[in-house]
Amino acid sequence: MHAKLPHPFDEATRVTAGDSRWQGHTSDDYWAFVGPFGGATAATILRALIDHPERAGDPLSMTVNYCAPIAKGAFDLDVRLVKANRSSQHWCVELSQDGGEVATLATAVFAERRPSWSHQVAKFPDAKPFEETLPFPRIAASWANQYEFRFVEGEMRIGGMKAGPDSAYSKVWIGDRSPRTLDMLSLMSMSDAFFGRIFHARRELVPFGTVSLTTYFHSDADELATEDITRVLATADARIFHRSYGDQTAELWSPNGRLLATTTQIAYFKA
């Protein structure tokens, strides 16, 4: 019998524990055009927090500010518990390389989620089943090829912009190309696994990068485990592109109709 190899995502987000400083390493499998895929970086940071011996509760929200480029190779994570009370913890993580300045700054809130009144106001988007949609072709960025994208609506098309910009809206099934049961780490990463909204609007690839990403989790780890899923139905849109920056809002749903996460980000573009 051959030993089962770790999933590429687990290899990419692997961390080594320290006292307050943990270590990680970039992955060629999750490389974007000029640096590591931001979702994988965010998931690596989240893994360090989840694995931390002082952690209590489950992720409630996480904000990641991408301050400077991350080079290929090892990096350090300076992990600090800022404040804790009976029901929540507030964490701060700084990513740096070779003793240099901070390249990524993250804050996260963990919480003990207790039984309460529940009401899901948002409605599950109408969509063709995953099996009835076609996979999006592979592209040059290796990170994107670790995922399988099946667009229900708003597929990215490059070339031939019309008289005005196209819609920035997308509805898409997203799953790991090598299937992996969804957990909080992959949910964090998938919250950034959208093509730039400006690519959709302009129908061309332009210099682009996420500056700040915030993800809100609407399920704890146990609830997510009971879903037992390998993909999400995701919607993403933009409200404005102005003076080199554009926003993105997105929702990630389980195939069973549960809203798992919502996310917002601001991104730089040059066009």
Side-chain angles (χ1 to χ4, degrees):
M1 295 290 291
H2 295 286
K4 185 178 179 181
L5 295 175
H7 192 279
F9 181 76
D10 293 307
E11 277 293 292
T13 59
R14 183 164 54 88
V15 292
T16 303
D19 293 329
S20 64
R21 190 171 290 265
W22 295 48
Q23 287 77 41
H25 199 285
T26 62
S27 167
D28 289 343
D29 289 335
Y30 288 85
W31 197 255
F33 291 107
V34 295
F37 165 50
T41 300
T44 304
I45 293 171
L46 184 59
R47 185 184 289 277
L49 293 173
I50 289 175
D51 290 352
H52 198 284
E54 294 183 44
R55 186 268 299 182
D58 289 291
L60 187 67
S61 70
M62 185 167 176
T63 296
V64 185
N65 297 315
Y66 301 94
C67 309
I70 301 173
K72 286 190 177 185
F75 53 78
D76 294 319
L77 299 173
D78 187 2
V79 180
R80 182 164 59 97
L81 178 59
V82 178
K83 178 69 175 179
N85 55 40
R86 289 188 301 174
S87 60
S88 65
Q89 293 182 328
H90 297 258
W91 293 85
C92 178
V93 182
E94 296 179 350
L95 183 155
S96 60
Q97 292 180 292
D98 299 323
E101 295 183 346
V102 174
T104 303
L105 172 65
T107 58
V109 180
F110 279 68
E112 300 279 0
R113 304 189 74 127
R114 299 183 175 89
S116 72
W117 178 76
S118 297
H119 175 46
Q120 182 174 284
V121 179
K123 303 301 182 183
F124 183 62
D126 292 330
K128 286 184 179 180
F130 174 84
E131 295 77 12
E132 295 179 17
T133 53
L134 297 175
F136 190 74
R138 292 176 181 262
I139 64 174
S142 63
W143 77 265
N145 297 322
Q146 299 302 323
Y147 292 106
E148 185 171 52
F149 300 94
R150 297 196 176 200
F151 283 90
V152 177
E153 184 180 341
E155 178 178 319
M156 184 177 70
R157 300 182 185 277
I158 302 301
M161 186 171 74
K162 304 171 185 176
D166 279 4
S167 170
Y169 177 80
S170 291
K171 185 187 297 180
V172 56
W173 291 101
I174 305 175
D176 292 288
R177 189 172 295 276
S178 175
R180 178 184 182 277
T181 302
L182 198 76
D183 59 13
M184 304 302 277
L185 300 176
S186 49
L187 191 59
M188 180 72 236
S189 185
M190 287 180 186
S191 73
D192 192 39
F194 298 93
F195 302 132
R197 295 299 92 196
I198 194 168
F199 302 163
H200 292 260
R202 290 181 58 91
R203 298 186 71 160
E204 66 173 332
L205 300 178
V206 300
F208 167 90
T210 300
V211 177
S212 183
L213 164 72
T214 297
T215 298
Y216 300 102
F217 301 93
H218 306 303
S219 176
D220 63 23
D222 290 340
E223 288 175 325
L224 191 55
T226 62
E227 291 285 331
D228 191 23
I229 54 176
T230 59
R231 65 182 71 100
V232 296
L233 178 64
T235 61
D237 206 351
R239 295 186 180 93
I240 188 170
F241 304 95
H242 181 64
R243 295 179 68 91
S244 303
Y245 293 91
D247 75 329
Q248 176 183 275
T249 60
E251 298 175 348
L252 288 83
W253 294 81
S254 82
N256 302 318
R258 180 193 291 270
L259 182 61
L260 301 176
T262 50
T263 180
T264 61
Q265 68 172 253
I266 192 79
Y268 163 82
F269 66 85
K270 185 176 181 181

